[in-house]
Amino acid sequence: MKVHRNGKAAALTPEQFDELVTAAPSQRYASLWTLQRFTASRIGEALALNWGDVAGGKVTFRRSTTKTKATRQVPQSQKLKQVLADYRQQWAAEHGHDPATDEVLFPAAGSTTSPQSRQAADKALRATCKRIGLEGVSLHSFRRTAAQDAVDRGLPLHVVQKMTGHKSLGSLGEYLQAS
């Protein structure tokens, strides 16, 4: 478990995840964390997404934005579809127009084409966790949670590996806990 920003990020229980999303400082962060949780994405991958990447019932992580330099597509769960639809309405209201396919989901202040920083996302998460008393959580917790949940639901490891984009089962195994 992470202690003072060192160690492995904690995986979240469903109750902890729900509490965190409910306590999010804005719909933007609730949507970001939900997207990460249901796609097993790294924060850099999530922040680089544009609206065209979340069309057609899938989330497409472009090879230029993934750690492994391989494009990865993850189907959207019903929950994620609803969260993204609601967030799209909020995004449009905030920016005064419906988002174009090349505009980013989570833009920096004053922009629709430049993504917000990792630091801003991390600061919001740490403040929320402190407020609700969650320890050991980082932006990587959503990725760990998604992988662990998929295994707990009985998905074969090779399917989970494809979802997370891990190159080896050994690296995926670092995310999982035996139950």
Side-chain angles (χ1 to χ4, degrees):
M1 179 160 94
K2 262 192 175 329
V3 177
H4 301 293
R5 302 176 77 181
N6 293 296
K8 291 184 180 179
L12 300 164
T13 66
E15 297 77 20
Q16 289 171 324
F17 177 74
D18 289 345
E19 182 180 12
L20 186 63
V21 168
T22 300
S26 67
Q27 190 174 4
R28 165 195 297 251
Y29 290 108
S31 300
L32 173 62
W33 301 338
T34 301
L35 183 134
Q36 284 188 270
R37 160 52 183 102
F38 287 98
T39 63
S41 61
R42 296 172 181 92
I43 186 61
E45 296 169 341
L47 293 175
L49 288 169
N50 59 43
W51 285 100
D53 295 328
V54 296
K58 294 183 180 182
V59 177
T60 302
F61 298 100
R62 291 167 273 126
R63 68 178 179 191
S64 62
T65 66
T66 64
K67 182 177 176 181
T68 58
K69 301 300 178 202
T71 297
R72 183 172 85 251
Q73 287 190 319
V74 179
Q76 291 180 24
S77 66
Q78 282 305 113
K79 180 171 181 74
L80 180 57
K81 282 180 188 177
Q82 187 60 56
V83 166
L84 289 175
D86 293 345
Y87 177 61
R88 184 182 180 95
Q89 290 179 352
Q90 186 272 322
W91 191 103
E94 179 182 338
H95 298 286
H97 66 277
D98 284 334
T101 58
D102 63 343
E103 291 181 298
V104 295
L105 270 73
F106 309 106
S111 176
T112 60
T113 56
S114 295
Q116 80 170 71
S117 70
R118 292 170 170 245
Q119 292 78 11
D122 183 58
K123 184 178 179 180
L125 178 62
R126 283 189 285 122
T128 304
C129 287
K130 184 176 182 179
R131 194 170 66 253
I132 64 174
L134 273 180
E135 295 181 5
V137 176
S138 78
L139 290 166
H140 218 64
S141 291
F142 305 111
R143 185 167 164 76
R144 291 182 67 92
T145 301
Q148 186 67 54
D149 179 61
V151 170
D152 289 348
R153 287 184 293 118
L155 266 67
L157 288 178
H158 73 277
V159 174
V160 179
Q161 181 183 0
K162 186 175 180 180
M163 178 181 82
T164 63
H166 282 103
K167 287 204 176 231
S168 72
L169 287 175
S171 58
L172 171 62
E174 293 293 318
Y175 282 67
L176 307 175
Q177 297 174 345
S179 60

